[in-house]
Amino acid sequence: MRGRAARTAAPAGHPMNASPGFGWVVFGGVFAAVWLIGLVSGGVPVGGSVFRPWIVRRRDNPLLYGAVMVLLATLAALCVVKGLERGL
């Protein structure tokens, strides 16, 4: 490694160097958790803020809800696969 990458890299033995794909798997896990929340509750938070989230509900707009759920599942799967390819 050279330049900035060498200066900002975690030192040898640091947990961040343990597995290069771990971050991707965690990132995919976040998408999977939001998907699971949407599946159980019937509504997916897709924007807004913590105090006033914009939620797509199954009963209000089933087509948009289905599209968001498919997108979340796809992103979760892609992130987990990428993490496993890089090595967990």
Side-chain angles (χ1 to χ4, degrees):
M1 249 187 288
R2 301 168 125 187
R4 182 181 175 130
R7 290 192 306 270
T8 59
H14 192 275
M16 286 184 64
N17 288 338
S19 62
F22 182 72
W24 282 104
V25 173
V26 171
F27 197 53
V30 170
F31 285 123
V34 173
W35 180 85
L36 188 61
I37 289 169
L39 190 66
V40 171
S41 68
V44 182
V46 292
S49 68
V50 174
F51 302 109
R52 295 183 56 108
W54 184 61
I55 298 174
V56 174
R57 290 186 172 80
R58 184 183 312 144
R59 67 174 182 267
D60 295 340
N61 195 341
L63 188 62
L64 183 59
Y65 171 82
V68 169
M69 292 296 280
V70 167
L71 179 68
L72 285 171
T74 304
L75 288 173
L78 288 175
C79 289
V80 169
V81 167
K82 183 170 185 169
L84 293 176
E85 284 177 350
R86 288 184 175 222
L88 188 65

